[in-house]
Amino acid sequence: MNPLTYQKLFQSKTNNAHLVTFDNGNDYVVKLFKPSEDKALINEWLAYCIARFMGLPIPYSYLIEMPKSFVEVFPKGHGTVYTSKQFASKYIANSVNAHETKVENILNYNDMAKIIVFDYWLCNTDRTRKNILLQEQTAGNHFLWIIDNAEIFDSYSWTMNDLENLPQNLIRSATHELMVRFIKEEKDFKIALTHIQSIPTQLLEEILSFVPNDWG
Ligand SMILES: Nc1ncnc2c1ncn2[C@@H]1O[C@H](COP(=O)(O)OP(=O)(O)O)[C@@H](O)[C@H]1O
Ligand SMILES: [Mg+2]
C-alpha cells in the first residue's frame, strides 16, 4: 500500500492527523512519530490490535512505510520526525463526532459495554466526544466507531514506572455516559471482561514485535 496524494491536516489537539489517499483507492488518516509524544503510535497500534481481537468498531488500521520524500510534503512544524513506519487508520467517510449530532439510536449498541471495558482496562482517559465517530445509516440511526487511542495508559508519553501506577479511579467521560444509555443488558460487561481474559499473552508479544525500533 503506497501513498498517492496528500489531502489535508485535521484540526486537532496534536495536529498530527493527516488525510492521505493511497494506491488501493482508499483514504487513510496517517499519524507520524513525534518525540514529545513518543508513546502515541505504540498506543494506537496496541489498542488497535486489542480492539480487533475484541471485535470493537475501530477503523481498519496498518503500520505503513511511507517514503521520506512523500512525508516531506506534509505541513511542517508540528514536531514530528521521520521514522521507518507510520500509523494509518481507514478514513471513515460521512461521519461526525458526538459534538456535531444528537444521538437518538445506536445501531451497534451491543458494542457499547465492550468499548467501556476496553477503555478501563487500557486506562484510556481520552474518550472524548471527538474521539468517537458517528455514521448515520438511516434517519436517526448511527453506527458508532472509536478512534484516537493515542492516550491509553493515561498518557501519550508514559514511562515504565507510570505503567506500574496507573489510576484506578472512575474515568470522567461524557462519551461513556452517552454510550451507557444504549446498553440493554448488564451482562454485556461480563462478556467483555471474559473476552479480555482470554487474550493470549503470546498474541500481545506478537503485536509488540511489530513496533519498529525507531519508535523508541
Ligand atoms: N479513521 C478516521 N476517520 C475519519 N476521521 C478521522 C479518523 N481518524 C481521525 N480522524 C479525524 O482527525 C481528527 C484527529 O484525529 P485523532 O486520532 O483524534 O488525533 P488527536 O490525537 O490529534 O485528537 C479526529 O478528531 C477526526 O476528525
Ligand atoms: Mg482526538
Side-chain angles (χ1 to χ4, degrees):
M1 178 167 119
N2 296 300
L4 280 183
T5 323
Y6 184 87
Q7 303 286 359
K8 68 164 186 175
L9 172 71
F10 284 97
Q11 292 306 318
S12 73
K13 194 168 66 175
T14 61
N15 271 323
N16 185 24
H18 306 265
L19 187 65
V20 176
T21 304
F22 283 74
D23 62 0
N24 64 0
N26 293 321
D27 289 342
Y28 291 85
V29 178
V30 177
K31 293 187 173 182
L32 309 179
F33 185 78
K34 217 181 201 181
S36 61
E37 296 164 14
D38 65 327
K39 299 302 191 299
L41 300 191
I42 293 176
N43 284 357
E44 288 276 21
W45 175 242
L46 189 59
Y48 170 68
C49 294
I50 291 169
R52 290 278 290 156
F53 182 91
M54 294 177 69
L56 300 187
I58 188 165
Y60 288 117
S61 303
Y62 305 88
L63 296 182
I64 54 160
E65 295 179 28
M66 292 192 298
K68 195 169 186 195
S69 56
F70 187 81
V71 175
E72 274 163 4
V73 308
F74 283 40
K76 293 257 173 322
H78 300 302
T80 57
V81 297
Y82 182 73
T83 49
S84 57
K85 290 183 182 172
Q86 303 81 33
F87 181 82
S89 73
K90 193 157 187 254
Y91 177 64
I92 304 296
N94 307 315
S95 65
V96 293
N97 66 45
H99 286 296
E100 298 166 322
T101 187
K102 194 174 169 304
V103 189
E104 283 164 15
N105 188 35
I106 292 184
L107 294 164
N108 55 330
Y109 61 86
N110 272 329
D111 293 333
M112 299 305 107
K114 281 195 270 184
I115 295 168
I116 293 169
V117 169
F118 167 89
D119 283 342
Y120 271 88
W121 183 46
L122 296 179
C123 206
N124 180 9
T125 46
D126 194 34
R127 185 64 65 211
T128 62
R129 272 175 280 217
K130 281 192 178 167
N131 289 335
I132 59 170
L133 292 178
L134 297 152
Q135 238 181 351
E136 193 169 41
Q137 308 218 322
T138 52
N141 298 311
H142 289 95
F143 186 89
L144 185 150
W145 297 88
I146 55 168
I147 58 162
D148 193 359
N149 298 296
E151 284 181 61
I152 61 166
F153 306 129
D154 194 30
S155 165
Y156 46 57
S157 56
W158 50 262
T159 63
M160 291 292 274
N161 189 47
D162 296 333
L163 296 185
E164 305 284 332
N165 301 291
L166 290 174
Q168 305 278 320
N169 42 319
L170 197 69
I171 299 169
R172 288 206 154 273
S173 164
T175 311
H176 285 168
E177 286 173 25
L178 182 155
M179 293 191 294
V180 150
R181 299 206 322 259
F182 300 95
I183 295 174
K184 294 205 175 21
E185 294 185 275
E186 207 175 302
K187 77 169 189 332
D188 289 358
F189 286 101
K190 274 225 168 80
I191 295 168
L193 284 170
T194 310
H195 210 153
I196 280 179
Q197 286 162 347
S198 75
I199 298 179
T201 304
Q202 276 160 329
L203 175 63
L204 298 176
E205 286 170 0
E206 190 72 14
I207 293 165
L208 280 178
S209 75
F210 284 88
V211 173
N213 287 332
D214 52 9
W215 285 5

